[in-house]
């Protein structure tokens, strides 16, 4: 399965652990954008929603953080599904 953009995973088989906050800081992301991406991560992995339902909620967050589009695109482009 695929690992979405901005997500860190560990183990064999891989399990999502958290958002790669340190990598985002190094790339110059603003704190507000990191907070919104963290909220998007939690929407996918912590709220128990299906991927389709989570994508609907992520679309609503898109105006407040354009970086979420890359996260959404990585979810939609996965042909094998994402690690859960």
């Amino acid at each position: 399965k695929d690992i979405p953009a901005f997500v860190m995973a560990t183990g064999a088989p891989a399990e999502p652990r958290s958002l790669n906050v340190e990598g985002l800081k190094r790339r110059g992301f603003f704190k507000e954008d990191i907070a919104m991406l963290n909220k998007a991560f939690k929407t996918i992995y912590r709220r128990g929603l299906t991927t389709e339902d989570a994508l609907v909620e992520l679309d609503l967050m898109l105006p407040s953080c354009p970086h979420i589009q890359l996260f959404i695109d990585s979810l939609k482009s996965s042909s094998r599904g994402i690690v859960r």
Side-chain angles (χ1 to χ4, degrees):
K1 296 197 176 202
D2 296 323
I3 300 170
F6 311 122
V7 175
M8 290 192 317
T10 59
E15 293 182 13
R17 293 293 174 203
S18 65
L19 194 66
N20 185 2
V21 174
E22 192 59 37
L24 293 171
K25 287 179 185 176
R26 287 183 191 150
R27 298 281 183 206
F29 281 68
F30 294 110
K31 289 181 182 182
E32 297 81 15
D33 292 335
I34 294 172
M36 287 303 296
L37 287 168
N38 197 30
K39 185 175 178 181
F41 173 83
K42 289 178 181 180
T43 299
I44 290 289
Y45 288 107
R46 303 287 188 253
R47 293 192 47 207
L49 300 173
T50 64
T51 303
E52 293 79 24
D53 292 339
L55 284 170
V56 170
E57 293 208 14
L58 293 179
D59 282 334
L60 298 174
M61 291 183 216
L62 196 54
S64 60
C65 179
H67 299 293
I68 291 177
Q69 185 63 53
L70 181 58
F71 191 61
I72 292 170
D73 292 344
S74 68
L75 294 169
K76 288 182 178 179
S77 68
S78 174
S79 60
R80 302 177 292 178
I82 61 169
V83 295
R84 285 285 185 148

